[in-house]
Structure formats: structure tokens, C-alpha cells
Amino acid sequence: MIPGAARKFASENATGILAMIAAMAAFVGNDTCIKLIGDRLPLGELITLRSAIATLYLLAFGVAFGGLALPARAPWPLMRWRLVGEFFATLFFLSGLVALPIADATALTQFTPLAITAAAAVFLKEHVGWRRWAATGIGLAGILLITRPGTAAFSPAAVLVLLAVCFIVLRDLATRLITDDVSTLALVAMSTFTGIFSGLVLLPFESWIWPDAATLLLLLAAAGFLCFAFAFTVIGMRHGDVGLVSPFRYSVIVFAILSGWVFWGDLPDAGQMTGIFLLAAAGLYTFHRERLLTRIR
């Protein structure tokens, strides 16, 4: 590689890595705001308002810069499955998040890449070798260490987060099959709009209240963090080598642990830290193995 091209490649990688780290920090910023609001508003109202504000942000961006239009032959069956996954993933994850320490909830979602690998093998008939199946098993062991089923420390809210992971897998597998002529902005706007209905489904079981000024500011911040997270994720995946940039998604665990410590004084114990390490290591190995197999192909 010539020096100029090498410098450009290194610069692209640095941009991608920094954008991915910024995206993970923004996701934790959104989750932190949600947890801070969790005892101030009914859950359905919280989800609806956060999603509605985020949708308005994205629509304003789309009107200003374009990117919301759908192709004439949009793959609606796949997009509907994606929205089903988004609907339930939003409902279950935020339900679990408000009840769990933020580090635990965030760590559990890091099983998603491993679950996607397993689901792609089962439903899309992609070849998955024994090494990646072993990594998935190690990830499951990490989940057991984090959730500790059968002990007094077990929280049923962890089941909600794991259900969310199942629907995130559905969403991401459908996204993988959607052609590139459907813009990222359009897909994200449809996701946040679907989140409105994830909250409205709880309306018959709740009594909504008018948010005070502090709560409204947190909602505005949560929606802003969510939009920035999606935007930085796209920037990260479009710059540099995907195999190099993607592992930096696991920086989200560091941000979540810091958030839990600063705002709630929560820190994972030794067993949970071991589980988090196993999940991250298994996920990183899966990224490495898929990158290697892509090169071989």
C-alpha cells in the first residue's frame, strides 16, 4: 500500500473507531436518561414520548437533508418483519432496563451478535463452524453468571431483556436482507415511529401524567442521544474496515458500568464481571472469525 493510501486508510479507520465509540456512549446516554425517568413516568408514556420526540428529530433531519424516500418496490414483507422485531425489542428492553442495573441490562444485550450467528445458521442456512458455536455457548455461560437464575439475586427483568434480544435478532436478520436502496435514515425513522406504538400498547393499563420540566428535558435528551447513536453507528460502519470498527461496539459495556456507578452507585460483582468478560470475549471472537472467513471466501 502506498504511503498516501495507507494514511487515508488509517484515517478512515480512526474515524470509524471514534464514531463507533461515540455511538456507544450515546446509546448509554439514552439508557441513562430512560432509567432516570423510570420512576417519574409510566413506562408506556415514557416509551411513547421518547420515540415520538426521536421521530420528530429524524423527520426534521430528513426534510432538511433528504433520505426518507422509499424505493418504488420497497421490500415490504421484510420491512414488516423488521418493524415487528423493533416493536417488541423496544417494549421488552425498556421494560427490563428500568428494573435492572444499567450495566447488567447492557451486558445482556451483547449476546445479540452471538444470537444472530446462531439464528443465521438455523433460519438462513448460513454455515457456522464449531468454533462460533462454542463462542455462543461461552456467551450463554456469561449470561448465566450475570443473571444468576435460581438465586435470590435473580431478577425476572433479565428475562425481559433476553426476550428483547430475540426480537433484536429478528430485526437485524430482516435488515440484513433489505436491499441498500432503502436508506438507513428511512429505516431508523420507521423504527422510532414504531416505538410510539410499543408504548401506546400499555396505555389501557396505565394512568398517564403530564411530565414536569426536568422530566421533559430528560426525554428531549434521551431522544437526542438515540438519534446521535444511530447516526454515529452509520458513520462508524461506513468508514474504515468493518472488522476493525465493529468490535468497538463492546465499549458500550464500559460506558454502562461508569453510568451505573456515577448515577446509582451500582457496580457488578466478581461473578457478574466474569460473565460480562465471557460475553465480550465470545462476541469479539465471533467478529474475528467472521472477518477471517470473509477474507477466505
Side-chain angles (χ1 to χ4, degrees):
M1 185 179 292
I2 61 175
R7 283 195 298 271
K8 182 178 179 181
F9 183 69
S11 176
E12 287 285 291
N13 281 336
T15 299
I17 289 169
L18 290 174
M20 187 58 68
I21 293 172
M24 297 305 105
F27 275 124
V28 172
N30 165 74
D31 292 347
T32 301
C33 291
I34 293 297
K35 279 190 68 65
L36 289 171
I37 303 169
D39 58 355
R40 303 185 188 189
L41 291 179
L43 179 64
E45 181 180 4
L46 189 162
I47 296 173
T48 299
L49 292 178
R50 192 285 307 264
S51 299
I53 295 169
T55 302
L56 289 175
Y57 286 162
L58 291 167
L59 289 177
F61 184 88
V63 169
F65 299 101
L68 288 173
L70 293 173
R73 294 188 175 182
W76 282 109
L78 286 173
M79 291 167 67
R80 281 193 286 269
W81 278 113
R82 186 182 186 280
L83 294 179
V84 168
E86 190 70 61
F87 177 92
F88 287 105
T90 299
L91 181 60
F92 287 132
F93 175 70
L94 294 184
S95 298
L97 175 65
V98 297
L100 284 174
I102 189 171
D104 291 3
T106 302
L108 289 175
T109 62
Q110 301 316 298
F111 185 64
T112 301
L114 302 170
I116 289 174
T117 297
V122 174
F123 298 108
L124 301 183
K125 306 304 179 184
E126 292 186 7
H127 175 69
V128 175
W130 68 268
R131 295 177 181 85
R132 285 187 289 171
W133 280 118
T136 302
I138 291 171
L140 284 171
I143 286 177
L144 293 176
L145 286 171
I146 294 169
T147 58
R148 293 174 289 190
T151 71
F154 174 73
S155 171
V159 178
L160 295 174
V161 177
L162 292 174
L163 283 172
V165 168
C166 294
F167 286 101
I168 291 170
V169 170
L170 172 62
R171 180 197 68 190
D172 289 357
L173 287 180
T175 303
R176 181 183 293 190
L177 299 173
I178 293 173
T179 52
D180 292 339
D181 54 350
V182 181
S183 73
T184 299
L185 181 62
L187 289 175
V188 172
M190 292 171 71
S191 292
T192 57
F193 183 70
T194 301
I196 297 173
F197 297 95
S198 297
L200 287 176
V201 75
L202 298 177
L203 179 58
F205 312 101
E206 298 176 338
S207 296
W208 287 19
I209 60 176
W210 187 261
D212 59 31
T215 301
L216 187 57
L217 285 175
L218 284 171
L219 283 168
L220 292 169
F225 277 128
L226 187 65
C227 292
F228 277 117
F230 284 133
F232 280 123
T233 300
V234 173
I235 293 170
M237 296 309 293
R238 287 181 175 176
H239 288 78
D241 182 73
V242 173
L244 180 62
V245 172
S246 291
F248 284 88
R249 290 177 182 270
Y250 285 91
S251 63
V252 72
I253 297 176
V254 177
F255 291 120
I257 291 173
L258 287 174
S259 174
W261 175 59
V262 170
F263 288 98
W264 295 279
D266 293 332
L267 282 174
D269 60 27
Q272 290 172 314
M273 285 300 298
T274 302
I276 291 171
F277 173 78
L278 289 176
L279 262 178
L284 288 170
Y285 177 78
T286 299
F287 278 128
H288 164 73
R289 190 65 187 168
E290 289 181 351
R291 184 186 185 195
L292 180 63
L293 291 175
T294 299
R295 285 181 173 178
I296 293 172
R297 294 190 193 106

